[in-house]
Amino acid sequence: MLRDTIFAGQYVLAALLLGGIVGGAQWAAVALHVRRSDWWLLGHCAAGVVMVGWIVGECLVLDSFIWPHAVWGGLGLTQILAVTLALDVLGRHPRRGTLRRKGAH
């Protein structure tokens, strides 16, 4: 699949980039999560964005889309969605003008 790409004959480089960038981002997110860091959600969101970005880039370089791209891209999107839900971004928010300033009665 890499024959007509910039990675032709450079399979080790492609594997190191994939493992280092995508795998490294995922392991960093896991490490932040396990350590109960305040940054764990940002770590998971960044790892999901890296995963989706890698898959999009891979599809563009290879000029193809096969089922593993859907699986790995879908997992990256799921990771981003999980962070969105954990932050309650889609939850109920007060309507405009109903927030009170601290100390106001």
Side-chain angles (χ1 to χ4, degrees):
M1 291 181 83
L2 297 176
R3 183 180 17 188
D4 297 326
T5 70
I6 60 173
F7 294 103
Q10 299 180 10
Y11 307 115
V12 173
L13 176 62
L16 288 175
L17 287 173
L18 175 61
I21 295 172
V22 178
Q26 293 295 335
W27 280 111
V30 168
L32 290 169
H33 195 136
V34 168
R35 291 182 182 173
R36 300 180 190 271
S37 168
D38 291 340
W39 298 94
W40 73 277
L41 286 171
L42 179 62
H44 281 291
C45 187
V49 169
V50 167
M51 175 75 81
V52 171
W54 182 273
I55 294 301
V56 168
E58 187 173 295
C59 289
L60 292 173
V61 167
L62 296 176
D63 195 25
S64 71
F65 182 83
I66 55 176
W67 70 267
H69 293 131
V71 171
W72 296 114
L75 286 173
L77 290 173
T78 300
Q79 197 169 16
I80 295 167
L81 177 62
V83 170
T84 302
L85 294 175
L87 292 173
D88 198 28
V89 172
L90 304 174
R92 288 188 62 140
H93 296 282
R95 290 187 176 182
R96 188 176 186 178
T98 60
L99 291 177
R100 292 185 178 184
R101 289 188 174 168
K102 199 173 193 177
H105 299 281

